[in-house]
Amino acid sequence: MIRRSHEASESWKNLPWKKFRKDLFRLQRRVFKAIREGNKRKALSLQKLILKSKAARFLAIRQVSQLNAGKKTAGIDGKKSLTIKERFELEELLKASSKNWFHQKLRSIPIPKKDGSTRMLKIPTIADRAWQCLAKYAVEPAHEALFHERSYGFRPGRSAHDAQRILFQNLKLDANGINKRVIELDIEKCFDRIAHTAIMSELIAPLGIRYGIFRCLKSGINPEFPEQGTPQGGVISPLLANIALNGIESICRYHRSKRKRITQNTSEKEIVYPSIRYADDMVIILRPEDDATEILERINKFLADRGMKVSEKKTKTTVATDGFDFLGWHFKVQSNGKFRSTPSVDNFKKFRQKVKAIVNNSNYGSKVKAEKLAPIVRGWRNYHKFCKMDGSRFSLYHTQYRAYKVFNKETKQDRHSSKKLLDKAFPAVSYSENRHNNVIGTKSPYDGDLTYWSERNSKLYDDNTSKALKRQTHTCGHCGLKCTSEERVHLHHIDGNHSNWKSKNLIAIHESCHDYIHMSKRAIP
């Protein structure tokens, strides 16, 4: 049995993954180019090729069963993972049924919200997630060619840090941010109220994919609103929400009449309001003379056509000097005109709760606590590395001191061991306020500019990973392909010693390549 499992693992590992990635990207790049050139007919033909592609099928299965963060979450069938044999069987099923895919029902998981209410996370089965990922491979490049440049949520090559930087550029001292206001826009139950007709009318896809996506939408419907909603938890759901909401950024403009002095004739001057959207979260920046009511009326009309509406309770207009929260940050223009960005109160509170729960847990020792704390602290510090992070509060001085006292007690007053564990539990991450480099205009990873995207990707990681990528000219140290935002990058210790941080012992590799390197040492579930 062990021998068969090993042979199956080897057969999965030895698939031509490098060729698969190249083949799929070549087709996606052609879809993107066809839409940019206005050739929709050619794009649809290329999307059919992706749906039939062996490379796309295997990559989709690998993504949902091996790489995605929610890979261990079961659907209604109860399956949390696939054996290697089941992965090959699923590939055969996708090959036979991808053009006429029927979705199973969804498993509902209640998720508490900070206002006390709950939202339902609806999880498809692994097979349905694999089909959705396959469909996403075909649909995403087409819509990436059309998406607005100020849309940053759930898009390849874009992140919340891009939105953070745009706010800095529009509210900094040179931009007269001290006199500006901000509309904090909240869409009421966005994912639950998106009209299916709004998605299907905008969707660029051949019939096989359209039928599958329509069935996907119907598999997670709310009985009260049978023609609305996209299931949260599906692989393709964020893309469908972006498709429905695309264009809301462009309506924040109008033409104002301006009377000329001599001729007394009127001319039209276009006024564009800077707007930043991350999925269903959006802020719009206004000058003192701009009319917030008119803007909100336009947005309400846009949303009404798509089955949604603005939340009157949560949407508000805020003076920039009063400060506002967005994407886990608190933004404020100080009285001297300088722009400041810090972690929001809610974000910092949730982070501290996670840290305290681990530090105060008596079920495991300091060594395990340090291992559990490290990724949480590193992730939090990386997310806020373009904020103002000096001072004892955000430097985590008090939190670290509390952890040190616990570690010191558990290691029986061995200060050297306690200090070593503390350094491991609270890894340092460099920060530089408002220094993020934004993605250029409407560029997309599907435009084929691998040099730009690989170099940009290397700047998103911490010092050691970034340095390793630069040494490797932004290519994976295992497969040799460029490291773009398509897949996370891991830092691999060549000699297996995770205490050896010498540069010669470190290589940057794709997450999947990291799995394959260690596959011979462990059985894949």
Side-chain angles (χ1 to χ4, degrees), residues 85-143:
K85 181 183 176 183
E86 288 172 331
R87 294 181 192 182
F88 281 108
E89 290 173 351
L90 179 54
E91 191 274 332
E92 290 293 330
L93 178 62
L94 287 174
K95 182 179 180 181
S97 308
S98 61
K99 293 181 183 178
N100 192 29
W101 190 265
F102 285 85
H103 277 71
Q104 297 184 54
K105 292 187 180 298
L106 307 176
R107 176 183 167 221
S108 296
I109 302 176
I111 305 294
K113 299 172 72 173
K114 64 181 181 181
D115 61 359
S117 61
T118 59
R119 66 181 178 91
M120 298 305 295
L121 193 65
K122 297 184 178 181
I123 308 297
T125 63
I126 296 178
D128 286 339
R129 295 204 294 267
W131 183 88
Q132 288 184 27
C133 188
L134 179 60
K136 183 183 176 184
Y137 285 155
V139 173
E140 189 171 61
H143 287 278

